[in-house]
Amino acid sequence: MTITSTSLMSLRDFFSDHKILICFNGPISTNLIGEIGSAIKEHIESNHAPDLEVMDVFSVYIEMSQNIKNYASTKGFNDTESSATVVIAAADPGHYAVCACNLVEMEHGKALVERIRTLADCDKAQLKALYKEQLRRPRSELQGSGAGLGLIEIARRSSQPMEASLEPVDTGRAFFSLRAII
Amino acid sequence: MSTSEGLNLSIPGSQSSPSIRADWDAGVVVMSGESYPENSFELYDQLIQWIDSYLSNVEQSLTLELHLNYLNTSSIRFMIDIFDMLQTAHADGKEVLVQWMYDDRNPRSAELGAEFKEDYTFPFLILSINA
C-alpha cells in the first residue's frame, strides 16, 4: 500500500492523540540511538522539565534501545529483523512514556515478560538490592542472559510498573513491546 | 621529554563516551563526559589495563577524578571492575582516592556516586562542582 496524503494526516492525528514527542521505526543503529537520545534531551529540557526527569527519560531510553541493538547483534538479525519501534510520549503532567517494540524469539519474549512481571512486584529497595546483586554477578554467568541490568535500571527509574506484551508472528517469533512510565 | 610520557593514556571524548586522561607520573586519571558507547569493552579495557599496570608497577598513590554525568549500565559494570581494583590495592596498603565530581543540576550523578561508594572502604569523595 502506497502512502497517501490522507494516510499521512491520520498518522499525524495518531501522533497528536497519543502525545508522541519523538518516534522512530526502522533498523536501529548506534548513530541513531545517539542522535535520538540528544533530541530527547533537548526536547524535554525545552519543556523546562527538571534535570532529574530529563536524565531518567534519557537513561530508560538508552537502556531500552541498547538492549534491542545488542539483542539484534547477538542474534545476527538482518535490517528487516532488527527493525524496532521506539516512542517517547508525554504522559500525565510531569511524566513521560518510553516505549519500544522489537522482534524476538518466542522463548526469549516469554522469559522477558516473566522477568518484567517479577520486577513489577518489587519496591524500590528490592530493586536496588537486585541491581547490586546483578552488578556483582561474574561476567561468565551473564553470557546469553542479556537485558538483566538494563531492565532493573528501567524499573528503578519508572514511577509505575513496566508493562510488557508479546504479539506472536510466524516462525516461532514474536514482537515484544515494553512501556515504562517515568 | 620524560621517559614515562609514553605510559600516559589520552582518549578523546565523544557524545557517547567520556574523555580519559591518565598521567603516569602524577598518578592521576581524569574522566569527563557521558558514557554509553556502543562498545564499552573497547573503551574500558584500555583504562583497566592502564590502572592494572600502574598499580602493579608504581608505589605512589593513584587518584581518579571522575566528572561523569551519565553512565549506562554496561559502563557502570566496568566502573565496578575499576573500583574493585582500587579496593584490592587499598587492602594491600596503597594510597588510592576517588573524587566523584557532580553538578548540582544533575542529582542522579550524585546518587550514582553514592551507590558506588557504599560498596568500598577506600577514600571516596563525592563533591559538588558548584561548591
Side-chain angles (χ1 to χ4, degrees):
Chain A
M1 192 159 59
T2 309
I3 192 159
T4 64
S5 53
T6 326
S7 52
L8 200 59
M9 287 305 285
S10 57
L11 180 64
R12 192 197 134 87
D13 288 344
F14 182 89
F15 276 28
S16 306
D17 290 348
H18 292 83
K19 292 181 272 184
I20 292 172
L21 306 172
I22 294 170
C23 174
F24 171 76
N25 183 52
I28 200 154
S29 72
T30 304
N31 280 341
L32 209 54
I33 291 176
E35 291 307 320
I36 296 175
S38 304
I40 290 171
K41 270 197 211 159
E42 280 173 27
H43 195 103
I44 303 179
E45 272 166 8
S46 71
N47 283 346
H48 306 290
D51 291 312
L52 197 67
E53 273 168 32
V54 179
M55 288 318 289
D56 285 355
V57 172
F58 181 71
S59 175
V60 166
Y61 157 78
I62 288 288
E63 295 298 332
M64 244 187 234
S65 50
Q66 289 188 332
N67 266 350
I68 292 175
K69 174 79 172 57
N70 293 340
Y71 183 77
S73 307
T74 313
K75 295 291 298 172
F77 277 178
N78 63 30
D79 270 7
T80 316
E81 290 168 317
S82 59
S83 180
T85 309
V86 179
V87 171
I88 320 296
D92 292 335
H95 294 276
Y96 293 88
V98 180
C99 322
C101 171
N102 66 311
L103 188 67
V104 295
E105 301 294 344
M106 183 57 92
E107 50 173 312
H108 296 144
K110 282 182 176 163
L112 279 171
V113 171
E114 193 50 44
R115 179 80 178 140
I116 285 152
R117 210 165 280 159
T118 313
L119 293 175
D121 292 333
C122 297
D123 60 26
K124 293 288 176 201
Q126 287 167 319
L127 287 172
K128 183 180 175 183
L130 272 178
Y131 175 82
K132 290 238 167 179
E133 186 190 312
Q134 186 81 10
L135 268 180
R136 290 281 156 197
R137 210 168 265 189
R139 274 172 208 282
S140 55
E141 280 182 27
L142 297 170
Q143 297 301 325
S145 73
L149 206 50
L151 281 182
I152 303 173
E153 168 71 14
I154 297 170
R156 293 188 74 192
R157 302 290 160 235
S158 296
S159 60
Q160 51 179 270
M162 283 180 273
E163 207 179 87
S165 60
L166 216 48
E167 182 79 28
V169 289
D170 53 353
T171 64
R173 287 174 170 174
F175 278 113
F176 169 71
S177 303
L178 180 63
R179 187 193 76 166
I181 303 285
I182 290 90
Chain B
M1 189 198 278
S2 148
T3 49
S4 61
E5 210 164 280
L7 297 169
N8 293 344
L9 191 65
S10 181
I11 305 170
S14 73
Q15 184 181 57
S16 60
S17 64
S19 64
I20 302 178
R21 278 189 302 108
D23 187 319
W24 189 272
D25 286 335
V28 174
V29 174
V30 182
M31 296 175 75
S32 297
E34 302 200 339
S35 183
Y36 53 100
E38 172 176 30
N39 191 338
S40 45
F41 176 80
E42 207 173 277
L43 177 72
Y44 283 91
D45 189 50
Q46 303 173 68
L47 178 60
I48 286 170
Q49 285 187 24
W50 189 93
I51 293 174
D52 184 46
S53 169
Y54 181 90
L55 290 174
S56 25
N57 288 295
V58 178
E59 278 307 311
Q60 67 165 329
S61 68
L62 177 63
T63 298
L64 260 60
E65 196 183 310
L66 307 175
H67 303 251
L68 298 166
N69 302 323
Y70 168 72
L71 294 132
N72 69 350
T73 51
S74 115
S75 303
I76 289 173
R77 194 185 290 281
F78 283 105
M79 291 309 298
I80 295 273
D81 290 345
I82 291 170
F83 294 145
D84 283 354
M85 290 162 73
L86 298 191
Q87 183 66 42
T88 306
H90 172 72
D92 292 344
K94 281 226 170 73
E95 204 180 311
V96 294
L97 169 67
V98 168
Q99 290 180 311
W100 182 273
M101 316 295 293
Y102 72 94
D103 189 321
D104 286 346
R105 289 171 304 173
N106 183 6
R108 287 289 182 229
S109 172
E111 278 174 32
L112 182 62
E115 282 195 3
F116 278 132
K117 182 189 162 97
E118 281 171 8
D119 298 334
Y120 300 100
T121 56
F122 61 79
F124 195 122
L125 305 178
I126 298 172
L127 306 163
S128 164
I129 60 164
N130 316 93

